[in-house]
Amino acid sequence: MLKKKRYYVSERIVNISEMEKLVQQENLLISRLRSELVGNDFSPLIVTDILNDLEKVNQKAIQFEFCLERRKTRI
């Protein structure tokens, strides 16, 4: 009797750490923005700079492409 070859296929996101870094950058910028806006003497220039940085990071996150690695293992 012949045994059929069986395989286990697994996938993982190779570059997930890059997306995590973008999310961390966004969180940091949001925290900075919140801190700046809480005070009574916030600077419109600083707020504008933070918003510009946040927009850049957000655009990178929107355009991010996940890289999948697929492995096929014979069992």
Side-chain angles (χ1 to χ4, degrees):
M1 181 172 178
L2 292 175
K3 285 188 176 181
K4 285 187 175 181
K5 292 181 181 177
R6 295 185 343 178
Y7 295 93
Y8 173 76
V9 178
S10 64
E11 293 180 338
R12 75 179 188 100
I13 301 171
V14 177
N15 59 345
I16 192 72
S17 64
E18 292 174 36
M19 175 55 91
E20 290 171 339
K21 287 178 186 175
L22 291 174
V23 171
Q24 287 174 347
Q25 288 176 352
E26 285 182 322
N27 283 334
L28 177 66
L29 289 167
I30 290 169
S31 294
R32 283 183 53 208
L33 182 60
R34 184 176 286 120
S35 295
E36 185 65 30
L37 292 175
V38 167
N40 292 332
D41 58 344
F42 72 88
S43 167
L45 291 175
I46 292 175
V47 169
T48 302
D49 286 344
I50 295 170
L51 287 173
N52 287 337
D53 291 344
L54 185 57
E55 188 176 34
K56 289 175 189 174
V57 173
N58 184 257
Q59 194 60 36
K60 287 179 185 178
I62 290 170
Q63 294 174 350
F64 188 82
E65 292 188 25
F66 290 99
C67 180
L68 290 178
E69 175 184 83
R70 179 177 286 174
R71 291 183 180 183
K72 190 174 180 181
T73 306
R74 198 167 117 188
I75 52 175

